Amino acid sequence: MSQPRTDLAPGRFPADFTWGTATAAYQIEGAVREDGRGVSIWDRFSHTPGKTHNGDTGDVACDHYHRWQGDIELMRRLHVNAYRFSIAWPRILPEGWGRVNPPGLDFYDRLVDGLLAAGITPWVTLYHWDLPQALEDRGGWPNPDTSKAFAEYADVVTRRLGDRVKHWITLNEPWVVAFLGYFTGEHAPGRKEPESYLPVVHNLLLAHGLAVPVIRENSRDSQVGITLNLTHAYPAGDSAEDEAAAKRLDGFMNRWFLDPLFTGGYPRDMIDVFGSWVPSFDESDLGVIGAPLDFLGVNYYSPSFVQHSEGNPPLHVEQVRVDGEYTDMGWLVYPQGLYDLLTRLHRDYSPAAIVITENGAAYPDEPPVEGRVHDPKRVEYYASHLDAAQRAIRDGVPLRGYFAWSLMDNFEWAFGYSKRFGLYYVDYETLERTIKDSGLWYSRVVAEGQLVP
Ligand SMILES: OC[C@H]1NNC[C@@H](O)[C@@H]1O
Ligand SMILES: [Ca+2]
């Protein structure tokens, strides 16, 4: 069990803490038709009129595919010792399975070697939403064959990179993939099929579980985990109804994923809430899904304040907008939510380790003036959330690392390029990267291993 770190002075992090920054393939790479890359559901979706802000697509994005060496220099300037990125499944298996595309593997091979040469540890996310369109055409995530195809993809990638990459994240945010992709249709593939939501969740978790042993076989002595977007649900009022509503939202957003991954099955109370939506599946699936993990990746941005609702079946909850600071995404700035989430995870699920695989904020940054981008609100967001993380470590949470989202401004999905999360500002005309004040600040925190003014 992890012990309280009362030896740590306020604001100071453990000497062996992983300090990183994070990105994802479709959001930064561009070069969508280069070197044999296949089509992904995000290529199809972003090119569908009306789906993304301004009709923005990832066709060019930050052109990281051609600028990756310079981007490694940006990371070195931040002094980070780790970098979390995702591999584009369609670069590796253009049809989703079967035929391997060697130039796709070669790109990531060179990137990994470049990172290692720079003293930066690669953390690889296998799935960050860019499903090959060919698999979507065969049913997509509602089709359990997709889970098997994912394990095949994991095998191809880890056979090639598993000797040098020792930190693997199977999926990024399965809740977002399933709920926005197949329930609301806000994300690719843009399907509005409520009855598909829980089967998609199940097949994503199954994909994860099938991939874990494959990764361990091909990448000996590696750390394997999954990244979940998690919130902390607070009752908006002190009524029993609001308490129960917060518990249902917690079940919907958090426990429906954490329980099968860490406790062997879906949460009973939510099975009753979801009723006929719960798919039938082989009990043996739960043993696959519950494969032991070395860490839990947590993406935290904001908490939820929840009240009971007579409407909105079957959850009967609604989120309440409380007073406070909000980011450009309309997300409440509430660092105590990170502390409460981390301590809850440690108490209720006791993962071997926790890694914050994403935390950060979007603000409407102005273009650089004399090479500077002043983003005091983003500095404040990072400072307050890192302070919350440090307090959690002091209180015994086995938090081993932190990845700032994001290295640079990039394609923010349906918001296109209208939301800027980067520690570096990207001019989308010239693709020039300019470090923001938050990047300068973060580089000092990382170099000193403690919060700085
Ligand atoms: O919305 C900010 C980030 N959230 N998690 C997944 C990432 O792909 C997003 O850019
Ligand atoms: Ca092998």
Side-chain angles (χ1 to χ4, degrees):
M1 274 297 263
S2 175
Q3 297 309 314
R5 292 295 306 269
T6 49
D7 59 304
L8 290 176
R12 172 153 286 283
F13 286 78
D16 61 353
F17 198 67
T18 292
W19 288 103
T21 183
T23 64
Y26 190 75
Q27 297 182 266
I28 67 166
E29 287 181 357
V32 293
R33 275 177 292 281
E34 196 138 337
D35 291 342
R37 178 183 179 279
V39 176
S40 79
I41 56 175
W42 268 97
D43 296 291
R44 179 65 57 83
F45 187 77
S46 65
H47 280 269
T48 305
K51 299 299 183 186
T52 64
H53 170 84
N54 217 16
D56 289 347
T57 76
D59 286 0
V60 175
C62 306
D63 192 37
H64 171 74
Y65 190 77
H66 299 111
R67 297 165 191 258
W68 60 273
Q69 285 150 308
D71 290 340
I72 291 176
E73 287 313 303
L74 306 185
M75 299 173 213
R76 287 170 63 117
R77 187 171 176 191
L78 297 175
H79 303 305
V80 292
N81 56 43
Y83 171 54
R84 175 186 177 230
F85 63 98
S86 79
I87 289 183
W89 189 339
R91 290 197 190 281
I92 311 303
L93 291 153
E95 291 80 43
W97 64 295
R99 179 178 68 88
V100 174
N101 174 45
L105 278 169
D106 294 345
F107 170 70
Y108 294 107
D109 202 294
R110 287 193 300 273
L111 175 60
V112 163
D113 285 346
L115 290 165
L116 294 172
I120 297 170
T121 302
W123 285 57
V124 172
T125 306
L126 286 168
Y127 186 68
H128 202 124
W129 305 358
D130 40 4
L131 183 73
Q133 183 63 41
L135 292 175
E136 178 60 25
D137 294 344
R138 302 161 67 97
W141 284 110
N143 181 348
D145 289 349
T146 307
S147 309
K148 300 188 187 76
F150 178 74
E152 280 294 306
Y153 157 61
D155 187 45
V156 171
V157 170
T158 54
R159 280 174 190 276
R160 177 67 174 274
L161 301 176
D163 58 326
R164 285 155 288 154
V165 175
K166 298 298 182 185
H167 297 84
W168 296 95
I169 296 162
T170 52
L171 307 177
N172 182 75
E173 302 181 347
W175 180 90
V176 174
V177 175
F179 194 67
L180 300 194
Y182 293 86
F183 189 102
T184 67
E186 285 167 73
H187 277 190
R191 290 161 62 173
K192 299 182 177 107
E193 305 161 9
E195 72 284 354
S196 295
Y197 169 60
L198 290 183
V200 166
V201 170
H202 187 77
N203 290 341
L204 284 164
L205 292 175
L206 193 56
H208 158 79
L210 290 170
V212 171
V214 170
I215 297 167
R216 293 198 187 286
E217 159 61 22
N218 293 339
S219 183
R220 294 302 168 92
D221 308 321
S222 61
Q223 305 274 305
V224 186
I226 187 172
T227 280
L228 301 178
N229 57 294
L230 298 173
T231 186
H232 197 72
Y234 299 98
D238 52 13
S239 68
E241 270 193 335
D242 285 358
E243 295 273 351
K247 186 166 184 283
R248 288 194 302 274
L249 186 93
D250 175 57
F252 172 57
M253 298 291 300
N254 301 332
R255 292 184 288 117
W256 192 262
F257 298 87
L258 292 164
D259 282 22
L261 289 166
F262 292 96
T263 72
Y266 289 110
R268 273 244 53 89
D269 64 318
M270 296 310 294
I271 288 171
D272 297 340
V273 167
F274 285 136
S276 63
W277 278 3
V278 180
S280 55
F281 55 84
D282 293 341
E283 281 301 301
S284 62
D285 287 358
L286 293 174
V288 174
I289 292 170
L293 299 177
D294 301 295
F295 65 89
L296 168 63
V298 174
N299 289 357
Y300 172 87
Y301 288 93
S302 189
S304 308
F305 286 83
V306 184
Q307 69 183 14
H308 176 77
S309 162
E310 287 307 315
N312 305 333
L315 282 180
H316 294 294
V317 302
E318 62 191 339
Q319 305 219 24
V320 170
R321 185 181 170 91
V322 300
D323 289 345
E325 282 284 307
Y326 286 78
T327 72
D328 201 25
M329 295 295 282
W331 297 345
L332 175 69
V333 178
Y334 198 82
Q336 187 59 31
L338 178 57
Y339 177 87
D340 290 340
L341 169 62
L342 292 171
T343 49
R344 182 271 175 102
L345 290 171
H346 181 46
R347 184 187 66 238
D348 294 353
Y349 297 96
S350 53
I354 297 173
V355 178
I356 294 172
T357 39
E358 286 179 31
N359 179 241
Y363 287 107
D365 305 311
E366 293 297 323
V369 173
E370 290 163 13
R372 297 296 298 272
V373 178
H374 301 301
D375 57 342
K377 287 186 177 178
R378 188 176 287 105
V379 174
E380 174 50 31
Y381 182 97
Y382 277 118
S384 57
H385 286 79
L386 280 168
D387 177 61
Q390 197 271 351
R391 287 187 289 116
I393 296 170
R394 276 178 63 84
D395 292 350
V397 174
L399 180 65
R400 302 284 184 250
Y402 178 92
F403 290 83
W405 182 272
S406 179
L407 169 65
M408 60 182 133
D409 298 336
N410 58 54
F411 177 78
E412 180 54 30
W413 309 109
F415 291 98
Y417 298 100
S418 68
K419 304 298 178 188
R420 294 179 179 273
F421 276 91
L423 293 172
Y424 282 84
Y425 181 96
V426 175
D427 176 327
Y428 291 110
E429 300 298 314
T430 66
L431 294 174
E432 187 179 2
R433 286 85 155 124
T434 306
I435 196 164
K436 302 177 190 173
D437 287 356
S438 57
L440 294 169
W441 176 86
Y442 190 65
S443 71
R444 290 171 50 217
V445 170
V446 174
E448 298 183 27
Q450 65 179 6
L451 290 175
V452 299

